[in-house]
Amino acid sequence: MPSEFVDPDELRAEFCSALSKMYRSEVPLYGDLVELVDEINDRADEQESWQISDRLKVERHGAIRLGLPSELHTISRLFRLMGMYPVGYYDLSGCGVPVHATAFRPTTRSSLSKNPFRVFTSLLRPELIPDAKLRDQVLSILSKRDIFHPTTRALISQAETRGGLTRPETNLLVQHALETFKWHEEALVPAETYARMRAVHPLLADIAGFRGPHINHLTPRVLDIDAAQAGMPARGICPKAIIEGPPRRLCPILLRQTSFQALTEHIRFPGGGSEGSHRARFGEIESRGCALTKKGNLICLHPSNPLHSVPLVANQHVGHDLYLSLMAESQRTAPPNESNAAHQTLLHQIFTHRFPDTWTSLRQEGLAFFRYTLITPPQPLSNNTTLDELIDSGNIQAEPIVYEDFLPASAAGIFRSNLGQEQSEHVQKNIEAEEESTRKQFEIALGRPVEDFCDLYQAMESDSLQAVERTLGYRLR
Ligand code: OOG
Ligand code: NI
């Protein structure tokens, strides 16, 4: 890339920082969460090195909800300029949320280490709204709005033709792209239309009721989420009842999340006079562990059938499946409305003897992904020393690979708790056989296939091992 163009990693970092600044001014409680997280992270000195890095200070994920495939297409082009690509396909319809989604994020180790900004981006599936009249109305409203500033559109096309953006163009893009993510106090539709949409599903009102897909949360990453959950009330922040995801572990896995409930915000309807309130924007904190192995795609956990076909025993390449099966077991056992403490105790009991909790066993049983680095070649070099022996002797370091993605069951839980509606009977369910075709439609809108995150972790692990093998001069597998 010619040097006159700004690096996509730099553009992403600048955009993430500008968005964070904007959201802090829109939702001051987000600023309080960031302060709490920074305080905990500064104290977390006994953490292992794979968790602590420069990226932690700037690490955020956000979420937006889009209405039309054409909006997804343009967002995909915009994020691409920032070095963010669609990874993972999340179908949330089985959980009563009429959307499917992906996460735009950087995919290489070097880009992730500079700034791992990700955006969980969902797209409405109007075909799951059985009220045909309302569906047509929603589509007509959506087709008349443009969520992108003309300058954003022009700069995207220009960058694609010329291969990048100059410094002044980059500044202009950051400024105008922010417009798409900002909050509008004035709704796009009259009060009656808003009320009709909300009665069928609050998500409809949130997506089609406004001029743009306001960012609905920005999430900093914390090293000790139990401390964050406990520290929220002292700052006047009321956390959700339960930390989503796996229990606390010596070797943290996947993703744990907690949040505060969406704020009730004042809105105005066009034409003046009538006013109302809307709940969409909330605060969330996440804690990331290591990526677990799994072949195939993630499926959404249906609340009444959480198990699907997940196997119950640990064998090669099923770390993620083993996680899902243990979580399903906890759902079957858990009494409703339990406290976080009771929930965590139950998870702890279920996981303790069934999910290995040392890096060695996670690695040897093929449950998690690792990055291998040659610290120093063994002396004398013999080509029958095994990988395990070289790790034991300290010649090779095996470092867990951070899970950079999302968990559909946790995401659906977050959607539901913030939309203030348990499960909408108005929403049709996707049947499993349809998933392939809905995914295809989603990818057509994106203009590219979504990447499989397991493949990305696998490639990172294999590349690191290959580099070690090249230096040693023999194969370790
Ligand atoms: C997205 C919810 C998903 C997460 O952290 O799992 C999400 C939304 O509410 O739009 O952000
Ligand atoms: Ni989130």
Side-chain angles (χ1 to χ4, degrees):
M1 188 189 292
S3 56
E4 61 176 303
F5 292 141
V6 173
D7 191 286
D9 288 340
E10 215 174 297
L11 172 51
R12 177 177 67 260
E14 285 174 27
F15 183 71
C16 178
S17 150
L19 192 63
S20 181
K21 203 164 145 218
M22 181 179 88
Y23 198 58
R24 214 181 244 256
S25 72
E26 288 183 349
V27 180
L29 266 180
Y30 160 69
D32 296 351
L33 274 193
V34 170
E35 271 174 28
L36 172 66
V37 163
D38 285 348
E39 227 171 67
I40 295 171
N41 287 351
D42 287 345
R43 271 192 270 127
D45 40 14
E46 80 278 15
Q47 290 288 333
E48 295 174 51
S49 60
W50 68 281
Q51 288 266 22
I52 298 179
S53 58
D54 292 345
R55 74 179 224 184
L56 206 57
K57 262 272 184 246
V58 292
E59 183 156 356
R60 305 280 184 265
H61 89 246
I64 51 171
R65 303 161 182 166
L66 303 174
L68 291 177
S70 56
E71 295 173 352
L72 181 65
H73 186 72
T74 308
I75 267 296
S76 164
R77 292 167 62 205
L78 173 66
F79 283 146
R80 197 191 164 111
L81 300 183
M82 302 182 193
M84 295 158 77
Y85 304 93
V87 180
Y89 175 72
Y90 305 93
D91 176 7
L92 302 184
S93 65
C95 308
V97 183
V99 300
H100 44 179
T102 189
F104 288 93
R105 68 164 177 88
T107 53
T108 66
R109 200 173 111 74
S110 131
S111 291
L112 284 162
S113 71
K114 286 180 194 141
N115 187 309
F117 181 47
R118 357 174 151 66
V119 181
F120 191 93
T121 305
S122 35
L123 175 66
L124 179 68
R125 290 184 55 200
E127 72 276 15
L128 297 181
I129 310 293
D131 180 339
K133 205 162 147 239
L134 181 66
R135 189 167 60 218
D136 291 347
Q137 193 179 6
V138 163
L139 287 173
S140 145
I141 294 165
L142 290 170
S143 68
K144 288 191 200 105
R145 75 174 188 180
D146 188 353
I147 63 170
F148 299 99
H149 192 280
T151 307
T152 305
R153 288 190 176 278
L155 286 167
I156 294 173
S157 299
Q158 192 178 314
E160 287 172 348
T161 330
R162 296 206 199 134
L165 292 171
T166 62
R167 173 42 60 198
E169 289 162 355
T170 297
N171 297 347
L172 216 55
L173 182 70
V174 169
Q175 182 195 334
H176 288 94
L178 273 186
E179 295 278 316
T180 300
F181 298 81
K182 95 173 187 218
W183 170 245
H184 300 278
E185 202 183 334
E186 182 173 292
L188 178 65
V189 298
E192 314 76 72
T193 315
Y194 175 90
R196 272 191 65 208
M197 295 194 295
R198 189 156 128 178
V200 170
H201 200 292
L203 202 71
L204 283 181
D206 186 52
I207 294 177
F210 295 88
R211 280 217 307 282
H214 38 256
I215 182 119
N216 64 48
H217 64 288
L218 261 190
T219 303
R221 174 171 162 204
V222 75
L223 293 172
D224 185 344
I225 198 163
D226 301 284
Q229 176 88 354
M232 273 153 80
R235 291 183 176 247
I237 308 169
C238 178
K240 77 191 274 298
I242 277 169
I243 298 178
E244 300 272 354
R248 187 183 185 92
R249 314 234 75 204
L250 293 173
C251 302
I253 54 171
L254 299 172
L255 175 65
R256 302 182 72 206
Q257 294 158 286
T258 184
S259 59
F260 64 76
Q261 288 276 306
L263 309 168
T264 300
E265 299 183 272
H266 171 258
I267 55 170
R268 285 180 278 115
F269 292 102
S274 82
E275 305 198 346
S277 66
H278 184 73
R279 288 185 64 212
R281 304 190 306 158
F282 61 98
E284 184 193 32
I285 297 180
E286 67 176 21
S287 161
R288 290 187 176 266
C290 68
L292 299 182
T293 50
K294 181 190 194 298
K295 288 286 159 234
N297 299 312
L298 277 181
I299 39 172
C300 181
L301 291 184
H302 190 295
S304 61
N305 178 20
L307 251 181
H308 276 278
S309 54
V310 171
L312 278 160
V313 288
N315 52 36
Q316 286 285 308
H317 304 300
V318 292
H320 209 126
D321 285 347
L322 179 62
Y323 162 75
L324 290 176
S325 71
L326 296 183
M327 291 303 284
E329 189 174 320
S330 84
Q331 273 185 347
R332 285 195 303 269
T333 337
N337 305 323
E338 59 178 340
S339 69
N340 187 47
H343 178 70
Q344 296 304 325
T345 306
L346 176 69
L347 287 183
H348 178 77
Q349 282 162 358
I350 291 176
F351 275 68
T352 295
H353 299 294
R354 315 262 292 283
F355 205 106
D357 198 16
T358 65
W359 294 127
T360 306
S361 50
L362 285 168
R363 195 175 53 74
Q364 289 179 340
E365 292 181 37
L367 294 170
F369 289 109
F370 290 83
R371 197 171 74 82
Y372 298 97
T373 318
L374 185 64
I375 304 294
T376 139
Q379 298 293 346
L381 191 62
S382 120
N383 65 2
N384 49 27
T385 321
T386 65
L387 179 62
D388 283 344
E389 287 164 349
L390 290 168
I391 292 170
D392 282 347
S393 59
N395 295 96
I396 290 179
Q397 183 191 44
E399 207 177 40
I401 293 177
V402 175
Y403 185 63
E404 306 284 355
D405 295 285
F406 292 85
L407 297 171
S410 304
I414 288 166
F415 259 104
R416 278 201 305 269
S417 79
N418 283 296
L419 291 167
Q421 177 168 347
E422 262 314 296
Q423 199 165 331
S424 177
E425 6 18 287
H426 299 293
V427 174
Q428 290 171 1
K429 307 264 177 290
N430 206 20
I431 43 173
E432 235 175 278
E434 267 179 9
E435 174 157 329
E436 207 41 48
S437 81
T438 52
R439 183 197 172 109
K440 279 266 148 358
Q441 286 160 20
F442 189 85
E443 292 183 329
I444 290 170
L446 275 175
R448 57 184 296 140
V450 294
E451 297 196 51
D452 179 326
F453 47 74
C454 270
D455 291 350
L456 292 172
Y457 300 127
Q458 183 64 66
M460 279 182 178
E461 177 174 296
S462 305
D463 290 353
S464 72
L465 203 51
Q466 258 168 32
V468 172
E469 288 173 338
R470 268 197 303 274
T471 317
L472 290 179
Y474 70 96
R475 284 181 66 87
L476 288 161
R477 289 160 295 182

